[in-house]
Short mmCIF file of all heavy atoms in Angstrom, two decimals:
data_model
loop_
_atom_site.label_atom_id
_atom_site.label_comp_id
_atom_site.label_asym_id
_atom_site.label_seq_id
_atom_site.Cartn_x
_atom_site.Cartn_y
_atom_site.Cartn_z
N MET A 1 81.89 53.20 36.89
CA MET A 1 81.00 54.10 37.65
C MET A 1 81.79 54.79 38.75
O MET A 1 82.62 54.17 39.39
CB MET A 1 79.86 53.32 38.27
CG MET A 1 78.92 52.70 37.29
SD MET A 1 77.72 53.86 36.74
CE MET A 1 76.53 52.78 36.03
N ARG A 2 81.45 56.03 38.96
CA ARG A 2 82.06 56.76 40.06
C ARG A 2 81.07 56.81 41.21
O ARG A 2 79.91 57.15 41.01
CB ARG A 2 82.40 58.18 39.62
CG ARG A 2 83.56 58.22 38.66
CD ARG A 2 83.76 59.61 38.16
NE ARG A 2 82.72 59.91 37.16
CZ ARG A 2 82.62 61.06 36.52
NH1 ARG A 2 83.45 62.01 36.77
NH2 ARG A 2 81.69 61.25 35.64
N SER A 3 81.51 56.47 42.39
CA SER A 3 80.63 56.51 43.54
C SER A 3 80.59 57.92 44.12
O SER A 3 81.61 58.58 44.22
CB SER A 3 81.10 55.55 44.62
OG SER A 3 80.97 54.23 44.17
N THR A 4 79.40 58.37 44.46
CA THR A 4 79.23 59.66 45.12
C THR A 4 78.39 59.44 46.36
O THR A 4 77.96 58.32 46.64
CB THR A 4 78.50 60.65 44.19
OG1 THR A 4 77.21 60.14 43.91
CG2 THR A 4 79.25 60.89 42.91
N ARG A 5 78.14 60.49 47.08
CA ARG A 5 77.32 60.39 48.29
C ARG A 5 75.89 59.93 47.96
O ARG A 5 75.27 59.22 48.72
CB ARG A 5 77.27 61.76 48.97
CG ARG A 5 77.28 61.67 50.45
CD ARG A 5 77.32 63.00 51.12
NE ARG A 5 78.01 64.01 50.30
CZ ARG A 5 77.96 65.30 50.53
NH1 ARG A 5 77.24 65.76 51.53
NH2 ARG A 5 78.60 66.15 49.78
N ASN A 6 75.41 60.34 46.79
CA ASN A 6 74.03 60.03 46.41
C ASN A 6 73.89 58.77 45.56
O ASN A 6 72.83 58.52 45.01
CB ASN A 6 73.44 61.20 45.62
CG ASN A 6 73.47 62.48 46.41
OD1 ASN A 6 73.39 62.44 47.63
ND2 ASN A 6 73.60 63.60 45.74
N GLY A 7 74.95 58.03 45.39
CA GLY A 7 74.86 56.83 44.56
C GLY A 7 76.03 56.76 43.60
O GLY A 7 77.17 57.00 43.99
N THR A 8 75.73 56.47 42.34
CA THR A 8 76.81 56.37 41.35
C THR A 8 76.53 57.29 40.17
O THR A 8 75.39 57.56 39.84
CB THR A 8 76.95 54.92 40.83
OG1 THR A 8 75.69 54.49 40.34
CG2 THR A 8 77.44 54.00 41.91
N MET A 9 77.60 57.75 39.57
CA MET A 9 77.49 58.54 38.35
C MET A 9 77.82 57.64 37.18
O MET A 9 78.34 56.55 37.36
CB MET A 9 78.47 59.71 38.40
CG MET A 9 78.12 60.77 39.42
SD MET A 9 79.44 61.95 39.65
CE MET A 9 79.33 62.88 38.16
N GLY A 10 77.56 58.10 36.00
CA GLY A 10 77.78 57.30 34.80
C GLY A 10 79.26 57.16 34.46
O GLY A 10 80.12 57.46 35.27
N PRO A 11 79.54 56.72 33.25
CA PRO A 11 80.93 56.53 32.84
C PRO A 11 81.68 57.86 32.72
O PRO A 11 81.07 58.90 32.49
CB PRO A 11 80.83 55.83 31.49
CG PRO A 11 79.48 56.12 31.01
CD PRO A 11 78.61 56.31 32.20
N ILE A 12 82.99 57.79 32.85
CA ILE A 12 83.85 58.97 32.72
C ILE A 12 84.05 59.25 31.23
O ILE A 12 84.31 58.33 30.46
CB ILE A 12 85.21 58.72 33.41
CG1 ILE A 12 85.00 58.50 34.90
CG2 ILE A 12 86.19 59.85 33.15
CD1 ILE A 12 86.19 57.92 35.62
N ASN A 13 83.91 60.50 30.83
CA ASN A 13 84.16 60.89 29.45
C ASN A 13 85.62 61.28 29.29
O ASN A 13 86.08 62.24 29.92
CB ASN A 13 83.30 62.09 29.04
CG ASN A 13 81.85 61.72 28.93
OD1 ASN A 13 81.51 60.61 28.56
ND2 ASN A 13 80.97 62.66 29.24
N ILE A 14 86.36 60.56 28.47
CA ILE A 14 87.73 60.93 28.13
C ILE A 14 87.63 61.74 26.86
O ILE A 14 87.19 61.23 25.83
CB ILE A 14 88.61 59.68 27.89
CG1 ILE A 14 88.66 58.81 29.16
CG2 ILE A 14 90.01 60.08 27.46
CD1 ILE A 14 89.20 57.43 28.91
N LYS A 15 88.00 63.01 26.92
CA LYS A 15 87.87 63.88 25.75
C LYS A 15 89.17 63.97 24.99
O LYS A 15 90.22 64.24 25.55
CB LYS A 15 87.42 65.27 26.17
CG LYS A 15 86.01 65.28 26.72
CD LYS A 15 85.51 66.69 26.93
CE LYS A 15 84.27 66.66 27.79
NZ LYS A 15 84.58 66.64 29.21
N ILE A 16 89.08 63.73 23.68
CA ILE A 16 90.20 63.96 22.77
C ILE A 16 89.77 65.13 21.90
O ILE A 16 88.83 65.01 21.12
CB ILE A 16 90.51 62.72 21.91
CG1 ILE A 16 90.88 61.54 22.81
CG2 ILE A 16 91.62 63.02 20.91
CD1 ILE A 16 91.12 60.24 22.08
N ILE A 17 90.43 66.27 22.09
CA ILE A 17 90.03 67.49 21.39
C ILE A 17 91.11 67.89 20.38
O ILE A 17 92.27 68.02 20.74
CB ILE A 17 89.81 68.64 22.39
CG1 ILE A 17 88.76 68.24 23.43
CG2 ILE A 17 89.38 69.91 21.67
CD1 ILE A 17 88.69 69.16 24.63
N LYS A 18 90.70 68.05 19.13
CA LYS A 18 91.60 68.53 18.09
C LYS A 18 91.45 70.04 18.01
O LYS A 18 90.35 70.55 17.82
CB LYS A 18 91.25 67.90 16.75
CG LYS A 18 92.16 68.34 15.63
CD LYS A 18 91.74 67.75 14.30
CE LYS A 18 92.65 68.22 13.20
NZ LYS A 18 92.20 67.80 11.88
N HIS A 19 92.56 70.76 18.15
CA HIS A 19 92.53 72.22 18.13
C HIS A 19 92.93 72.77 16.76
O HIS A 19 93.40 72.03 15.91
CB HIS A 19 93.43 72.78 19.23
CG HIS A 19 92.96 72.41 20.60
ND1 HIS A 19 92.00 73.11 21.28
CD2 HIS A 19 93.31 71.38 21.41
CE1 HIS A 19 91.78 72.54 22.45
NE2 HIS A 19 92.56 71.49 22.56
N THR A 20 92.76 74.07 16.59
CA THR A 20 93.00 74.69 15.29
C THR A 20 94.45 74.60 14.83
O THR A 20 94.71 74.46 13.66
CB THR A 20 92.59 76.17 15.29
OG1 THR A 20 93.14 76.77 16.45
CG2 THR A 20 91.10 76.33 15.30
N ARG A 21 95.39 74.69 15.73
CA ARG A 21 96.80 74.69 15.35
C ARG A 21 97.37 73.29 15.11
O ARG A 21 98.56 73.11 14.98
CB ARG A 21 97.64 75.38 16.42
CG ARG A 21 97.18 76.79 16.70
CD ARG A 21 98.28 77.78 16.37
NE ARG A 21 97.90 79.13 16.74
CZ ARG A 21 97.50 80.05 15.88
NH1 ARG A 21 97.40 79.77 14.61
NH2 ARG A 21 97.19 81.25 16.29
N GLY A 22 96.48 72.28 15.09
CA GLY A 22 96.92 70.93 14.79
C GLY A 22 97.42 70.15 15.99
O GLY A 22 98.05 69.13 15.84
N HIS A 23 97.16 70.66 17.20
CA HIS A 23 97.53 69.87 18.37
C HIS A 23 96.29 69.32 19.05
O HIS A 23 95.17 69.74 18.75
CB HIS A 23 98.39 70.67 19.35
CG HIS A 23 97.73 71.88 19.91
ND1 HIS A 23 97.86 73.13 19.36
CD2 HIS A 23 96.90 72.03 20.98
CE1 HIS A 23 97.15 73.99 20.07
NE2 HIS A 23 96.56 73.35 21.05
N TYR A 24 96.51 68.35 19.92
CA TYR A 24 95.41 67.64 20.56
C TYR A 24 95.55 67.71 22.07
O TYR A 24 96.67 67.70 22.59
CB TYR A 24 95.45 66.16 20.17
CG TYR A 24 95.21 65.92 18.70
CD1 TYR A 24 96.23 66.07 17.77
CD2 TYR A 24 93.96 65.53 18.24
CE1 TYR A 24 96.01 65.85 16.42
CE2 TYR A 24 93.72 65.30 16.90
CZ TYR A 24 94.75 65.47 15.99
OH TYR A 24 94.52 65.26 14.66
N THR A 25 94.43 67.79 22.78
CA THR A 25 94.45 67.63 24.24
C THR A 25 93.63 66.40 24.58
O THR A 25 92.58 66.15 23.98
CB THR A 25 93.90 68.87 24.98
OG1 THR A 25 92.64 69.22 24.42
CG2 THR A 25 94.83 70.04 24.90
N VAL A 26 94.15 65.63 25.52
CA VAL A 26 93.50 64.39 25.95
C VAL A 26 93.37 64.44 27.46
O VAL A 26 94.33 64.76 28.16
CB VAL A 26 94.36 63.16 25.56
CG1 VAL A 26 93.69 61.87 26.01
CG2 VAL A 26 94.62 63.13 24.08
N GLY A 27 92.17 64.13 27.96
CA GLY A 27 92.02 64.09 29.41
C GLY A 27 90.59 63.95 29.85
O GLY A 27 89.67 63.84 29.05
N HIS A 28 90.42 63.94 31.16
CA HIS A 28 89.09 63.86 31.76
C HIS A 28 89.07 64.74 32.99
O HIS A 28 90.07 64.85 33.69
CB HIS A 28 88.73 62.41 32.11
CG HIS A 28 89.65 61.77 33.10
ND1 HIS A 28 89.41 61.78 34.44
CD2 HIS A 28 90.83 61.13 32.94
CE1 HIS A 28 90.38 61.16 35.06
NE2 HIS A 28 91.26 60.76 34.17
N GLY A 29 87.94 65.38 33.23
CA GLY A 29 87.83 66.30 34.36
C GLY A 29 88.78 67.46 34.19
O GLY A 29 88.85 68.07 33.12
N ALA A 30 89.53 67.78 35.23
CA ALA A 30 90.46 68.90 35.18
C ALA A 30 91.84 68.47 34.70
O ALA A 30 92.73 69.30 34.54
CB ALA A 30 90.57 69.55 36.55
N LYS A 31 92.04 67.18 34.46
CA LYS A 31 93.34 66.68 34.03
C LYS A 31 93.37 66.55 32.52
O LYS A 31 92.52 65.88 31.95
CB LYS A 31 93.60 65.29 34.63
CG LYS A 31 93.60 65.23 36.13
CD LYS A 31 93.77 63.80 36.59
CE LYS A 31 93.22 63.64 37.99
NZ LYS A 31 92.60 62.32 38.19
N SER A 32 94.33 67.19 31.87
CA SER A 32 94.48 67.00 30.43
C SER A 32 95.94 67.11 30.03
O SER A 32 96.74 67.77 30.70
CB SER A 32 93.63 68.00 29.64
OG SER A 32 94.13 69.28 29.79
N GLU A 33 96.29 66.45 28.94
CA GLU A 33 97.65 66.44 28.43
C GLU A 33 97.64 66.93 26.99
O GLU A 33 96.67 66.71 26.27
CB GLU A 33 98.22 65.03 28.48
CG GLU A 33 98.32 64.46 29.87
CD GLU A 33 98.64 62.98 29.85
OE1 GLU A 33 99.72 62.62 29.35
OE2 GLU A 33 97.80 62.20 30.30
N LEU A 34 98.72 67.57 26.59
CA LEU A 34 98.84 68.14 25.24
C LEU A 34 99.72 67.24 24.36
O LEU A 34 100.77 66.79 24.80
CB LEU A 34 99.48 69.53 25.36
CG LEU A 34 99.60 70.36 24.11
CD1 LEU A 34 98.23 70.87 23.69
CD2 LEU A 34 100.53 71.52 24.35
N PHE A 35 99.26 66.99 23.14
CA PHE A 35 100.02 66.19 22.18
C PHE A 35 100.04 66.90 20.84
O PHE A 35 99.11 67.61 20.50
CB PHE A 35 99.37 64.80 21.99
CG PHE A 35 99.42 63.95 23.22
CD1 PHE A 35 98.35 63.91 24.09
CD2 PHE A 35 100.55 63.20 23.51
CE1 PHE A 35 98.39 63.13 25.23
CE2 PHE A 35 100.60 62.40 24.64
CZ PHE A 35 99.52 62.37 25.50
N THR A 36 101.12 66.68 20.08
CA THR A 36 101.20 67.29 18.75
C THR A 36 100.85 66.29 17.66
O THR A 36 100.54 66.68 16.55
CB THR A 36 102.61 67.86 18.48
OG1 THR A 36 103.57 66.85 18.79
CG2 THR A 36 102.86 69.08 19.32
N SER A 37 100.90 65.00 17.95
CA SER A 37 100.55 64.02 16.93
C SER A 37 99.24 63.33 17.27
O SER A 37 98.94 63.06 18.43
CB SER A 37 101.67 62.99 16.75
OG SER A 37 101.50 61.90 17.61
N ARG A 38 98.48 63.03 16.23
CA ARG A 38 97.18 62.39 16.37
C ARG A 38 97.33 60.99 16.95
O ARG A 38 96.55 60.58 17.81
CB ARG A 38 96.53 62.36 14.99
CG ARG A 38 95.16 61.78 14.95
CD ARG A 38 94.58 61.94 13.54
NE ARG A 38 93.50 60.99 13.38
CZ ARG A 38 93.62 59.83 12.77
NH1 ARG A 38 94.77 59.49 12.22
NH2 ARG A 38 92.60 59.02 12.68
N ALA A 39 98.33 60.26 16.50
CA ALA A 39 98.53 58.89 16.95
C ALA A 39 98.85 58.81 18.43
O ALA A 39 98.31 57.96 19.15
CB ALA A 39 99.66 58.24 16.14
N LYS A 40 99.70 59.72 18.91
CA LYS A 40 100.05 59.72 20.33
C LYS A 40 98.85 60.09 21.19
O LYS A 40 98.65 59.55 22.27
CB LYS A 40 101.20 60.69 20.60
CG LYS A 40 102.54 60.14 20.20
CD LYS A 40 103.66 61.09 20.55
CE LYS A 40 104.99 60.54 20.06
NZ LYS A 40 106.06 61.52 20.15
N ALA A 41 98.05 61.03 20.70
CA ALA A 41 96.85 61.44 21.43
C ALA A 41 95.88 60.28 21.58
O ALA A 41 95.36 60.01 22.66
CB ALA A 41 96.17 62.61 20.73
N TRP A 42 95.64 59.55 20.48
CA TRP A 42 94.72 58.41 20.53
C TRP A 42 95.27 57.27 21.37
O TRP A 42 94.51 56.62 22.09
CB TRP A 42 94.38 57.94 19.11
CG TRP A 42 93.25 58.73 18.55
CD1 TRP A 42 93.34 59.80 17.71
CD2 TRP A 42 91.86 58.55 18.82
NE1 TRP A 42 92.09 60.30 17.44
CE2 TRP A 42 91.17 59.54 18.10
CE3 TRP A 42 91.14 57.65 19.60
CZ2 TRP A 42 89.78 59.66 18.14
CZ3 TRP A 42 89.76 57.77 19.63
CH2 TRP A 42 89.09 58.77 18.91
N SER A 43 96.58 57.04 21.32
CA SER A 43 97.14 55.95 22.13
C SER A 43 97.02 56.28 23.62
O SER A 43 96.72 55.40 24.42
CB SER A 43 98.58 55.64 21.75
OG SER A 43 99.44 56.66 22.12
N ARG A 44 97.19 57.56 23.97
CA ARG A 44 97.02 57.97 25.37
C ARG A 44 95.55 57.85 25.78
O ARG A 44 95.25 57.42 26.90
CB ARG A 44 97.52 59.41 25.56
CG ARG A 44 97.39 59.93 26.96
CD ARG A 44 98.21 59.12 27.95
NE ARG A 44 98.06 59.65 29.28
CZ ARG A 44 97.97 58.90 30.38
NH1 ARG A 44 98.08 57.60 30.30
NH2 ARG A 44 97.81 59.45 31.56
N GLY A 45 94.65 58.21 24.89
CA GLY A 45 93.22 58.09 25.17
C GLY A 45 92.81 56.65 25.43
O GLY A 45 92.08 56.35 26.37
N LEU A 46 93.33 55.72 24.61
CA LEU A 46 93.03 54.30 24.78
C LEU A 46 93.67 53.73 26.04
O LEU A 46 93.10 52.86 26.71
CB LEU A 46 93.47 53.52 23.54
CG LEU A 46 92.68 53.83 22.28
CD1 LEU A 46 93.33 53.17 21.07
CD2 LEU A 46 91.23 53.40 22.41
N GLU A 47 94.84 54.26 26.38
CA GLU A 47 95.53 53.87 27.62
C GLU A 47 94.68 54.25 28.84
O GLU A 47 94.50 53.46 29.76
CB GLU A 47 96.86 54.63 27.67
CG GLU A 47 97.97 53.99 28.45
CD GLU A 47 99.24 54.81 28.31
OE1 GLU A 47 99.89 54.73 27.24
OE2 GLU A 47 99.56 55.54 29.26
N LEU A 48 94.14 55.47 28.82
CA LEU A 48 93.27 55.94 29.90
C LEU A 48 91.99 55.11 29.96
O LEU A 48 91.50 54.80 31.05
CB LEU A 48 92.90 57.42 29.70
CG LEU A 48 93.94 58.45 30.06
CD1 LEU A 48 93.50 59.82 29.57
CD2 LEU A 48 94.19 58.49 31.54
N LEU A 49 91.47 54.73 28.80
CA LEU A 49 90.26 53.92 28.72
C LEU A 49 90.45 52.58 29.43
O LEU A 49 89.60 52.15 30.20
CB LEU A 49 89.90 53.71 27.26
CG LEU A 49 88.54 53.12 26.92
CD1 LEU A 49 87.44 54.09 27.31
CD2 LEU A 49 88.46 52.79 25.46
N LYS A 50 91.61 51.96 29.19
CA LYS A 50 91.93 50.69 29.84
C LYS A 50 92.09 50.87 31.34
O LYS A 50 91.63 50.07 32.13
CB LYS A 50 93.24 50.12 29.29
CG LYS A 50 93.07 49.32 28.03
CD LYS A 50 94.38 48.63 27.71
CE LYS A 50 94.55 48.52 26.21
NZ LYS A 50 95.93 48.27 25.83
N LYS A 51 92.78 51.96 31.73
CA LYS A 51 93.08 52.20 33.14
C LYS A 51 91.82 52.50 33.96
O LYS A 51 91.65 51.99 35.06
CB LYS A 51 94.06 53.37 33.27
CG LYS A 51 94.64 53.54 34.66
CD LYS A 51 95.57 54.73 34.72
CE LYS A 51 94.83 55.88 35.34
NZ LYS A 51 95.63 57.07 35.53
N LEU A 52 90.92 53.30 33.40
CA LEU A 52 89.74 53.74 34.15
C LEU A 52 88.62 52.71 34.17
O LEU A 52 87.74 52.78 35.01
CB LEU A 52 89.22 55.06 33.59
CG LEU A 52 90.16 56.25 33.76
CD1 LEU A 52 89.66 57.42 32.95
CD2 LEU A 52 90.29 56.64 35.21
N GLY A 53 88.64 51.78 33.23
CA GLY A 53 87.61 50.75 33.22
C GLY A 53 86.33 51.26 32.58
O GLY A 53 86.19 51.25 31.37
N ASN A 54 85.38 51.73 33.38
CA ASN A 54 84.11 52.19 32.84
C ASN A 54 84.24 53.64 32.37
O ASN A 54 84.00 54.57 33.12
CB ASN A 54 83.01 52.06 33.90
CG ASN A 54 81.65 52.35 33.30
OD1 ASN A 54 81.47 52.27 32.10
ND2 ASN A 54 80.70 52.69 34.15
N ALA A 55 84.64 53.82 31.13
CA ALA A 55 84.82 55.16 30.57
C ALA A 55 84.47 55.11 29.09
O ALA A 55 84.28 54.03 28.53
CB ALA A 55 86.27 55.61 30.75
N ARG A 56 84.35 56.27 28.48
CA ARG A 56 84.12 56.32 27.03
C ARG A 56 84.91 57.48 26.44
O ARG A 56 85.18 58.46 27.12
CB ARG A 56 82.64 56.44 26.71
CG ARG A 56 81.99 57.66 27.26
CD ARG A 56 80.51 57.65 26.95
NE ARG A 56 79.86 58.71 27.72
CZ ARG A 56 78.58 58.74 27.97
NH1 ARG A 56 77.81 57.78 27.55
NH2 ARG A 56 78.07 59.74 28.66
N ILE A 57 85.25 57.35 25.17
CA ILE A 57 86.02 58.38 24.48
C ILE A 57 85.07 59.29 23.72
O ILE A 57 84.18 58.82 23.01
CB ILE A 57 87.06 57.76 23.55
CG1 ILE A 57 88.18 57.14 24.39
CG2 ILE A 57 87.63 58.79 22.58
CD1 ILE A 57 89.33 56.59 23.60
N VAL A 58 85.26 60.60 23.90
CA VAL A 58 84.49 61.60 23.17
C VAL A 58 85.50 62.40 22.34
O VAL A 58 86.43 62.99 22.88
CB VAL A 58 83.76 62.55 24.15
CG1 VAL A 58 83.00 63.61 23.39
CG2 VAL A 58 82.83 61.77 25.04
N TYR A 59 85.32 62.37 21.02
CA TYR A 59 86.23 63.09 20.12
C TYR A 59 85.57 64.40 19.69
O TYR A 59 84.45 64.40 19.21
CB TYR A 59 86.55 62.23 18.89
CG TYR A 59 87.46 62.91 17.91
CD1 TYR A 59 88.81 63.10 18.18
CD2 TYR A 59 86.97 63.39 16.70
CE1 TYR A 59 89.65 63.73 17.29
CE2 TYR A 59 87.80 64.03 15.78
CZ TYR A 59 89.14 64.19 16.09
OH TYR A 59 89.96 64.83 15.19
N VAL A 60 86.29 65.51 19.87
CA VAL A 60 85.76 66.82 19.51
C VAL A 60 86.74 67.49 18.55
O VAL A 60 87.92 67.62 18.86
CB VAL A 60 85.59 67.73 20.77
CG1 VAL A 60 84.96 69.06 20.39
CG2 VAL A 60 84.76 67.04 21.82
N ASP A 61 86.24 67.90 17.38
CA ASP A 61 87.08 68.57 16.39
C ASP A 61 86.80 70.07 16.45
O ASP A 61 85.85 70.56 15.86
CB ASP A 61 86.78 68.01 15.01
CG ASP A 61 87.80 68.45 13.97
OD1 ASP A 61 88.58 69.37 14.26
OD2 ASP A 61 87.80 67.87 12.87
N MET A 62 87.66 70.79 17.18
CA MET A 62 87.47 72.24 17.33
C MET A 62 88.08 73.01 16.16
O MET A 62 87.85 74.21 16.04
CB MET A 62 88.12 72.72 18.64
CG MET A 62 87.40 72.22 19.87
SD MET A 62 85.72 72.81 20.01
CE MET A 62 85.99 74.44 20.62
N SER A 63 88.84 72.33 15.30
CA SER A 63 89.45 73.03 14.18
C SER A 63 88.40 73.43 13.14
O SER A 63 88.60 74.36 12.38
CB SER A 63 90.54 72.16 13.53
OG SER A 63 89.96 71.02 12.96
N GLU A 64 87.27 72.71 13.10
CA GLU A 64 86.21 73.01 12.15
C GLU A 64 85.12 73.89 12.75
O GLU A 64 84.22 74.31 12.06
CB GLU A 64 85.57 71.70 11.66
CG GLU A 64 86.54 70.75 10.97
CD GLU A 64 87.10 71.33 9.68
OE1 GLU A 64 86.32 71.92 8.90
OE2 GLU A 64 88.31 71.18 9.46
N ALA A 65 85.17 74.11 14.06
CA ALA A 65 84.10 74.86 14.75
C ALA A 65 84.14 76.35 14.42
O ALA A 65 85.14 76.87 13.91
CB ALA A 65 84.23 74.66 16.25
N ALA A 66 83.08 77.04 14.72
CA ALA A 66 82.92 78.50 14.56
C ALA A 66 82.63 78.95 13.15
O ALA A 66 82.07 78.41 12.32
CB ALA A 66 84.13 79.27 15.05
#
């Protein structure tokens, strides 16, 4: 949980986004990192999950969108 002035917010969403050119971005909020391999992207996502504690992973496949 993130503490705010008005109380607490829910879990942090760690987004793993697959893009059309076959690369992935992993991050939360305004922070994100670029990866070219799926395995490295997921390992970074799980690393962030452990570090942040109360968080969840959201996977978005933008290569199929539109």
Side-chain angles (χ1 to χ4, degrees):
M1 295 277 196
R2 288 175 284 180
S3 293
T4 62
R5 217 176 330 166
N6 302 330
T8 54
M9 290 170 73
I12 297 166
N13 290 328
I14 299 166
K15 293 189 194 86
I16 299 176
I17 303 167
K18 181 183 179 186
H19 296 277
T20 47
R21 304 242 185 257
H23 62 266
Y24 295 81
T25 50
V26 180
H28 61 93
K31 300 176 203 145
S32 69
E33 298 169 63
L34 185 72
F35 294 95
T36 50
S37 90
R38 182 174 160 261
K40 282 183 183 170
W42 275 97
S43 70
R44 180 62 181 141
L46 293 171
E47 206 176 284
L48 283 170
L49 191 67
K50 275 189 213 162
K51 191 182 101 177
L52 294 170
N54 188 21
R56 60 183 169 200
I57 289 185
V58 178
Y59 179 73
V60 183
D61 191 347
M62 292 297 281
S63 66
E64 300 295 317

